[in-house]
Amino acid sequence: MNVSIKTLMFASLTAASAVHADTTQTQPLVRATVSTDSAMVAAANPLAVKAGVDVLAKGGTAADAAVAVQMMLNLVEPQSSGIGGGAFMLYWDAQAKKLLTFDGREKAPASATPEYFYGDDGKPMKWWDGVVGGRSVGVPGTLKLVEHVHAKYGNQKWMSLLIPAIVKAQIGFEVSPRLHKSIAAAQERKLDLFESTRNYFFNEDGSPVAQGSYLKNPEFAQALREIGINGSAPFYTGRIAEDIVAAVATETNPGEMTLEDLANYSVIERAPVCVPYRAHEVCGMGPPTSGGLTMAQILTMLNNHDLPSMGPTAEAWHLYIEAAKLAYADRGLYMADADFVDMPEGLLDKTYLAQRAALIDLEQAMEKAEAGVPPKEDADRFSPDTQPERAGTSHFSIVDQFGNIVSMTTTIETGFGSRVMTNGFLLNNELTDFSFAAEREGLPVANRVEGGKRPRSSMSPTMVFKDGAPVLAIGSPGGSRIINYVTQKVIAILDWEMDLQAALDLPHVVNRNGATDLEENTAATDYQGALEALGHKVKTRGLNSGLHAIAIEDGKLFGAADSRREGIAAGF
Ligand code: GLU
């Protein structure tokens, strides 16, 4: 068994080095779908994949492997996720044949008011002014999430799952090209403002740590040792909690998080959001993320169109774009943390979505779509949220030898989060996923800040089922574009029967109810003329997804990692 893991790891790492040699993020690379018989991990970094596969090879479950993968990602891809952030996890319990969804999203401090991001002038701040410093830091949920799922479904000792990250943090890990580039880029965005962050990511002369150099993180190793011995307690009620509260009290833009906020954090098990899509059922995460519902709306609107026979053509993309506009319009107006906001019940009502789909003109693109009025909904209760979201997140998919599956999207929000670091990990800036404006024209924004509320997300960890059995786990980073990335790859895999790697690498066509973005330097730009002829406003730009997926077919596993990043899929 070990030999085949090593062989696979080697093959995959060779593919990953090809990525390393590449300097542009969206350069298409020739990669192949990886196939194994029993267990697999697909994630954003080869070291994290190896940590997960080793756990699976010892007989660990997907829940066990998720702990090891997350902790290693925290160390080697610190800009994207970690215990200072939040996450959503879908878990397929193979024995019970049940899908569970876990909400480990960050929360606003209890004291936060809707004017939390207003400046001295009484107006909402500029987005970036809100990001840097303790103010943007939400009460983190990722550690409690993986601990919770491990307690429920793990069979390996908790400490053993942290050891690979502890060892690497102690002896040092090789700075990947992507991490190096991200540090260099974030320097212009105040990554070197706070001392602890500056000392970790930059050399004494102020230059970013070099690609290929070894970075040690003894503080993180120490924090993980304490967490390994005592579970999440030191983080939520002990020494690390005190450090977090002290760290968010930055001189500029201080936060309001208290020890009580940390002590009161809890993971919530929620009902999955599932819709039929042709012969399959597609399931995702419900609020506070908008991911599951928005995807479900798009797919339901497209269900009556024959995308399978169209293939990836301008005709199919026109339909996709129009459905996306309509769904994003509802997202902007209605979707937020449903524990705080009375969201409409009928967002997935079949008749409602058929009426929405009927707004699609096959010959002419609509301008901006207006939100609809779902059944039982009074119009004009809310004002739309226009908050931007930036990319800095990670997705991993895991299948264990018992058939359990994890699809987890994990984030500290923008790359490097709030820039505030403590105990060797970065703290998120997730609170900037709230609308800074509390109201417009006298109507409240559903996604406004409130004490204890979870900011609306776009993260879309997804699983697809056929006849009740799982066939696909998938997800991606990418801010509010995530929903587009994941939905259209599901279409490519189910409707166009594309090979998994080819589907992930399929050039993106993105619409968030504005102009359509085509992925630059790819074949997506070939659709420009045809889409413009239908009245679409089209732009080309880099679109940096990080899709990591595992498909299950005839008892075999097929894994793929987005060529736009440096991850791999591997297993045995
Ligand atoms: N903070 C975003 C969200 O929760 C994710 C950002 C990203 O993907 O980079 O939706």
Side-chain angles (χ1 to χ4, degrees):
M1 192 187 272
N2 266 335
V3 173
S4 69
I5 297 170
K6 278 194 187 126
T7 316
L8 270 170
M9 287 301 303
F10 181 74
S12 305
L13 285 166
T14 311
S17 348
V19 185
H20 294 183
D22 174 38
T23 49
T24 53
Q25 290 179 333
T26 52
Q27 189 85 21
L29 286 149
V30 181
R31 287 184 164 211
T33 299
V34 174
S35 167
T36 69
D37 293 324
S38 181
M40 192 178 275
V41 178
N45 184 286
L47 292 168
V49 171
K50 175 159 172 31
V53 172
D54 285 347
V55 169
L56 296 176
K58 283 186 202 133
T61 66
D64 292 312
V67 181
V69 170
Q70 176 62 79
M71 296 307 176
M72 191 63 89
L73 282 176
N74 192 152
L75 180 70
V76 301
E77 198 201 28
Q79 70 273 32
S80 298
S81 78
I83 58 177
F88 296 112
M89 186 199 282
L90 267 55
Y91 194 88
W92 172 251
D93 174 347
Q95 206 177 1
K97 295 203 181 341
K98 193 168 173 212
L99 176 66
L100 293 103
T101 74
F102 299 95
D103 170 359
R105 183 72 164 167
E106 299 91 331
K107 279 168 56 159
S111 65
T113 64
E115 290 78 33
Y116 189 77
F117 283 112
Y118 281 43
D120 294 337
D121 59 358
K123 292 197 185 121
M125 297 176 182
K126 288 208 184 84
W127 192 77
W128 258 107
D129 293 343
V131 170
V132 178
R135 199 150 194 82
S136 64
V137 182
V139 185
T142 299
L143 177 57
K144 265 221 169 134
L145 169 60
V146 292
E147 181 182 52
H148 180 91
V149 179
H150 172 260
K152 216 170 157 137
Y153 290 116
N155 68 19
Q156 300 284 300
K157 288 215 168 65
W158 170 252
M159 177 55 128
S160 73
L161 304 171
L162 275 52
I163 284 177
I166 294 173
V167 170
K168 275 276 172 226
Q170 201 66 50
I171 63 174
F173 68 94
E174 195 178 334
V175 173
S176 75
R178 186 175 169 81
L179 174 56
H180 166 76
K181 267 193 292 178
S182 306
I183 297 169
Q187 192 165 17
E188 286 159 31
R189 293 197 176 269
K190 302 198 175 159
L191 186 60
D192 50 9
L193 183 68
F194 301 113
E195 199 186 343
S196 54
T197 319
R198 183 170 61 240
N199 289 346
Y200 184 61
F201 290 111
F202 297 91
N203 299 312
E204 264 172 35
D205 66 359
S207 60
V209 291
Q211 170 180 329
S213 62
Y214 275 79
L215 195 53
K216 291 183 187 172
N217 194 339
E219 281 188 66
F220 187 54
Q222 178 55 27
L224 287 189
R225 259 184 236 113
E226 291 170 37
I227 292 167
I229 295 167
N230 298 305
S232 69
F235 187 98
Y236 287 98
T237 53
R239 180 189 75 77
I240 303 172
E242 279 168 24
D243 286 354
I244 293 172
V245 168
V248 301
T250 45
E251 210 167 295
T252 40
N253 240 5
E256 292 177 10
M257 198 193 301
T258 62
L259 284 173
E260 232 185 346
D261 287 322
L262 279 158
N264 287 338
Y265 185 85
S266 59
V267 171
I268 306 176
E269 291 186 23
R270 299 188 183 274
V273 171
C274 296
V275 286
Y277 184 64
R278 298 186 222 288
H280 292 88
E281 189 180 27
V282 179
C283 293
M285 185 82 213
T289 183
S290 59
L293 280 172
T294 310
M295 257 186 93
Q297 280 205 342
I298 298 173
L299 291 173
T300 307
M301 285 187 267
L302 292 175
N303 211 1
N304 292 328
H305 292 277
D306 191 6
L307 295 190
S309 69
M310 285 176 206
T313 53
E315 187 189 11
W317 289 125
H318 169 69
L319 289 168
Y320 172 82
I321 291 166
E322 299 300 276
K325 285 181 191 164
L326 291 160
Y328 270 83
D330 275 9
R331 169 188 179 274
L333 190 64
Y334 297 119
M335 296 183 200
D337 182 349
D339 292 344
F340 282 75
V341 174
D342 185 18
M343 276 178 54
E345 284 166 28
L347 286 168
L348 296 182
D349 182 88
K350 283 209 184 75
T351 315
Y352 169 63
L353 288 175
Q355 286 160 1
R356 296 286 283 163
L359 299 173
I360 299 175
D361 181 338
L362 298 180
E363 310 292 329
Q364 178 65 44
M366 64 185 91
E367 289 285 314
K368 215 174 156 69
E370 298 286 334
V373 183
K376 295 198 237 154
E377 176 64 20
D378 298 327
D380 295 340
R381 278 202 302 139
F382 300 115
S383 183
D385 177 10
T386 54
Q387 199 72 4
E389 287 169 42
R390 315 290 154 113
T393 298
S394 210
H395 178 86
F396 56 85
S397 300
I398 303 173
V399 179
D400 68 26
Q401 58 186 288
F402 316 105
N404 304 302
I405 307 174
V406 161
S407 178
M408 172 157 159
T409 313
T410 173
T411 185
I412 55 169
E413 215 303 282
T414 198
F416 301 95
S418 62
R419 278 93 180 102
V420 180
M421 220 173 166
T422 180
N423 287 274
F425 60 86
L426 283 157
L427 292 167
N428 68 84
N429 67 302
E430 218 71 47
L431 300 186
T432 64
D433 271 1
F434 280 119
S435 168
F436 284 17
E439 54 154 59
R440 276 192 200 87
E441 292 160 15
L443 290 174
V445 177
N447 186 34
R448 68 189 175 281
V449 187
E450 294 178 71
K453 188 176 175 183
R454 300 176 185 216
R456 183 193 61 199
S457 170
S458 301
M459 295 195 287
S460 310
T462 300
M463 279 191 207
V464 179
F465 297 83
K466 176 119 194 251
D467 303 325
V471 295
L472 179 68
I474 188 169
S476 180
S480 53
R481 294 187 177 87
I482 290 173
I483 301 162
N484 278 280
Y485 295 150
V486 180
T487 309
Q488 59 192 243
K489 298 330 173 204
V490 165
I491 291 170
I493 295 161
L494 301 186
D495 286 349
W496 302 333
E497 296 178 353
M498 287 179 78
D499 162 77
L500 194 65
Q501 185 66 51
L504 266 45
D505 293 344
L506 181 71
H508 298 308
V509 177
V510 166
N511 194 295
R512 297 173 295 165
N513 198 18
T516 297
D517 295 326
L518 302 178
E519 187 173 3
E520 69 186 8
N521 303 322
T522 71
T525 56
D526 296 349
Y527 301 119
Q528 181 158 3
L531 290 174
E532 282 174 348
L534 287 162
H536 292 280
K537 289 196 189 72
V538 176
K539 291 182 185 159
T540 56
R541 52 170 297 152
L543 291 169
N544 194 229
S545 56
L547 294 140
H548 297 110
I550 301 176
I552 306 162
E553 204 180 325
D554 299 330
K556 277 189 91 69
L557 304 177
F558 298 88
D562 201 320
S563 294
R564 301 165 186 86
R565 299 207 179 192
E566 56 193 16
I568 59 167
F572 54 88

